[in-house]
Amino acid sequence: MKKILMLGMVVLGLVGTTEAKKRTERATGKTASRVEAAKDEQGSESGSLEWKEGKIETQDLRELLELKEMYVYKYDLSGVRDTSLRVMVQLDEYFGRDSMRTVRLMSFGKVFEGRRGEGQKYLTDLKFYFMPQSDSTMLVYCLLEGRMMSSFWLKMKKIAPDFKDYGSYSPKSFDTKELKVDQTVPVLLFGSSWYDAEISKYYRGMPIYRFCPENQLPEDMNSESFDRMPHYWVIRVGLQHRRE
C-alpha cells in the first residue's frame, strides 16, 4: 500500500512539474511575443525607431530640381508613323486673356530619318527643360530626341500691387489627349501667379498671391486661371504636312 501511495505521489509530482513547465513556456512565449510586437512598433526595446537609408526615386530627383525652379516635361511621340508629317512647336505670349502674340514657330523636321523602308528612325520623345537664368529670365530647351534642339527665352514681368518685384512663375500641364494634324494644341503653360486683393484683406494687407489650382489645365483654356493670370506663355505642339 505504501509503495502504491509513493508511486502515486511521484506521478502527481511529475504531472505537476510538467504542467508548471507548460505554464512557464506559455507565459514566456506571450512575453516574448509582446516584446517582439513592441520592437516592431518602436524599432527597439528602448523606444527608438529603426533607421535605414532609403532608395532615391525619380520623383525625389524631380523634387530636387523643382526646389531650384528647374522643371522637365517629357512627351511620347512614338505613335506618330505618318512619314508625310513634321513636328511643329509654337510659343504664344499672353498679357491677360485678350492680348496674345506668337513669338516662336519652330519646325522640327520630318517624322522619320533614313531611307524609306531601310533603317528608318521614327520619333521617340519630345522634351522641355526649364532652367532659370536670373530672377527675371527663364531659358527653355526644346529637344526632339535624336533630331534637333532649340531654345527660347522667357522674360518675366514685375507684379502687382507695387510692381517692384518680379512675379513668381510656374509651369503647368494641359489636359491635352492627342496631337492634331495641321493644328497645334496646348501642352504646357508657364505663367505668373496673381495678386488676390480680397484674400489679402484678411492678412492685414499683406500681399497674397495665387496660382492655377487645377492639377491640369483644360485644353480650351476655359477656367478662372486664364482670367486672373496677368502674364503667361503657352507652348503648343502640332503635326504639319511637310513639303517635298
Side-chain angles (χ1 to χ4, degrees), residues 119-132:
Q120 293 180 6
K121 297 179 181 179
Y122 288 96
L123 298 176
T124 54
D125 301 314
L126 178 63
K127 301 176 185 178
F128 295 94
Y129 299 100
F130 291 77
M131 302 183 65

Side-chain angles (χ1 to χ4, degrees), residues 1 29 33 48 57 63 89 136 151 153 169-170 176 179 185-186 188 194 198:
M1 183 67 180
S33 297
S48 61
E57 307 289 349
E63 290 172 0
V89 175
S136 64
S151 63
W153 291 84
Y169 285 71
S170 302
T176 301
L179 295 182
V185 294
L188 276 175
W194 60 85
E198 290 299 317

